[in-house]
Amino acid sequence: MTMVITGLGTVSPAGTGTDAYWAALVEGRTLLTPIPDVGARGYPVRLGGRVPGFDPYEHIEGRYVVRTDAFSWFAMVAADEALRDSGVDVAADPYATGVLICSGSGGNEFGQRELAALWGRGPEFVGPYQSIAWFYAASTGQVSISNGLKGMCGVLTTDEPGMLDALGQSRQALRRGTPAMLVGGSDAALGSPFALATQLGSGVLSEGADPGTAYAPFTEGACGFVPAEGAAVALVEDAATARARRAGVRAVVAGHASTFGGVGAFDPGGEGLLRAAEEAMRRAGVGPAGVDVVFADAVGLPKADADEVAALRRLFPDGVAVTAPKAGFGRAYAGAGALDVAAAVLSLEHQVVPPTPHVPDAPLGLDLVTRVARPARLRSALVLSRGVGGGNSALVLQHPDHV
């Protein structure tokens, strides 16, 4: 069974839609901005990758807006784009499409607002949607409800690797007979002081105030990453199903693997990330020479970056193009892995590797694409992702003409 991506949608610090996202990536644009005053004065984190000018009422029916948080809004908008892009008629058989959208933190802003009402005014001022709007599965539920989808639904909370893992699980759903799955990741952890406070304990966030240097992975000045918000959603199908309805195939999901490297901020030593990449490549049936670009995890911490570089050197002794476009807009937790997958799909389509912003020169021994985008013959892309707590995932995507 071959799983293919036939639809794609994004909401990112570049705005809504894959066109805006790709334009920012290929230009290597810096999209990090000061976090607006949400009562967060005194917080050490100063910058974030915010989705600009997003008005949910311009994209979503009001009845859904009032009972959901921003992370669900982003997922719903990205899912709508993916469905339109795929051309699938979900109304023809509501049971034919499932939903599996990941979150790392849930509805922080909605939850804080309702808890403030509870403590400040009393329980009668807490809305009924507090029980569901904050929950990690709210995005999956609202995407399913708003589109009338009645197929298999679920949620994963594996931090940044979420969408990679969801694609792996979706393959199993397709094998069991589900014709199509909406798969993605979404997070919006910048909208409230509580959301920011919960991130500080990890010790991995950059405290830089200069957007040009605050998130600079693989450099001597690396000091952590800048948090962001956003989402990406893909419509995946079995290749035979896609061919039967004459759908356009954007990419082939060729191989996925995940590991647990041990308790820690990130995989200690990088062995777990290496093993996940090796297994994903084995399942995809490609060797080092068959991978043309790697979308790096790029935490932005010296030790984590060094571990990833060491893993890449072992995987590709003869070298491979590497990029980390998220340096331009931040790591959006569950949205980060999803946006990396979307970036890889778009790179395969356009045959261009986007640059890594804020990194003027490639580190020794790593063919990191910097400064400007690099046209290249791209057959396969490897996406790497690590989550806080030791989880690692790797995904191989292939151009449909080179499978």
Side-chain angles (χ1 to χ4, degrees):
M1 192 276 291
T2 300
M3 185 166 73
V4 298
I5 294 174
T6 57
L8 189 66
T10 65
V11 174
S12 72
T16 58
T18 56
D19 289 344
Y21 181 53
W22 176 247
L25 293 186
V26 79
E27 293 172 14
R29 209 179 299 162
T30 295
L31 301 171
L32 304 177
T33 58
I35 297 176
D37 185 5
V38 289
R41 290 179 180 174
Y43 282 54
V45 179
R46 303 180 185 185
L47 299 175
R50 298 298 303 266
V51 175
F54 185 88
D55 181 354
Y57 289 97
E58 293 181 359
H59 306 278
I60 305 166
E61 286 186 53
R63 60 188 176 123
Y64 294 112
V65 173
V66 298
R67 66 192 191 199
T68 50
D69 181 85
F71 89 107
S72 292
W73 302 339
F74 297 159
M76 294 170 75
V77 173
D80 285 348
E81 183 184 9
L83 287 171
R84 290 194 305 271
D85 183 44
S86 73
V88 68
D89 181 10
V90 294
D93 182 1
Y95 295 92
T97 305
V99 185
L100 187 54
I101 298 177
C102 309
S103 171
S105 61
N108 296 280
E109 186 173 2
F110 194 107
Q112 176 165 344
R113 184 176 67 244
E114 295 302 300
L115 288 175
L118 172 65
W119 285 100
R121 304 178 68 187
E124 65 271 24
F125 293 95
V126 177
Y129 297 117
Q130 165 66 353
S131 61
I132 58 172
W134 69 269
F135 189 48
Y136 305 101
S139 54
T140 290
Q142 296 301 333
V143 167
S144 174
I145 292 169
S146 61
N147 291 287
L149 306 179
K150 301 181 180 181
M152 171 267 182
C153 287
V155 63
L156 296 178
T157 56
T158 55
D159 197 36
E160 183 168 331
M163 182 174 181
L164 283 69
D165 296 336
L167 285 166
Q169 288 204 7
S170 293
R171 182 184 296 277
Q172 301 304 316
L174 296 186
R175 283 176 175 163
R176 290 192 295 266
T178 299
M181 292 287 297
L182 274 172
V183 187
S186 180
D187 261 319
L190 298 179
S192 70
F194 171 74
L196 292 174
T198 58
Q199 300 172 58
L200 299 179
S202 63
V204 298
L205 298 187
S206 170
E207 298 180 8
D210 181 355
T213 60
Y215 183 18
F218 306 115
T219 69
E220 292 183 358
C223 56
F225 66 82
V226 174
E229 59 187 15
V233 176
L235 192 286
V236 297
E237 305 174 71
D238 175 72
T241 303
R243 283 195 301 269
R245 67 179 191 86
R246 299 181 180 180
V249 174
R250 303 195 69 161
V252 176
V253 182
H256 162 266
S258 60
T259 65
F260 178 69
V263 177
F266 292 95
D267 174 39
E271 289 295 323
L273 182 65
L274 174 65
R275 181 58 183 270
E278 290 174 334
E279 184 62 15
M281 290 167 62
R282 186 192 69 79
R283 293 176 181 178
V286 299
V291 174
D292 302 302
V293 60
V294 176
F295 284 77
D297 182 51
V299 172
L301 293 170
K303 176 63 167 64
D305 288 350
D307 290 342
E308 186 169 20
V309 170
L312 288 170
R313 287 175 177 171
R314 289 173 62 182
L315 279 169
F316 304 100
D318 296 327
V320 67
V322 179
T323 187
K326 65 164 78 72
F329 57 87
R331 288 169 69 101
Y333 298 99
L339 287 168
D340 274 352
V341 170
V345 172
L346 293 166
S347 290
L348 290 170
E349 287 184 344
H350 292 274
Q351 297 288 283
V352 173
V353 180
T356 305
H358 313 152
V359 180
D361 299 296
L364 185 64
L366 193 65
D367 183 16
L368 189 69
V369 178
T370 63
R371 300 180 186 272
V372 296
R374 179 190 297 178
R377 180 175 180 264
L378 302 179
R379 301 159 298 171
S380 298
L382 174 66
V383 182
L384 300 179
S385 188
R386 289 172 289 186
V388 174
N392 315 278
S393 292
L395 181 77
V396 176
L397 296 168
Q398 293 181 319
H399 191 286
D401 292 344
H402 296 291
V403 177

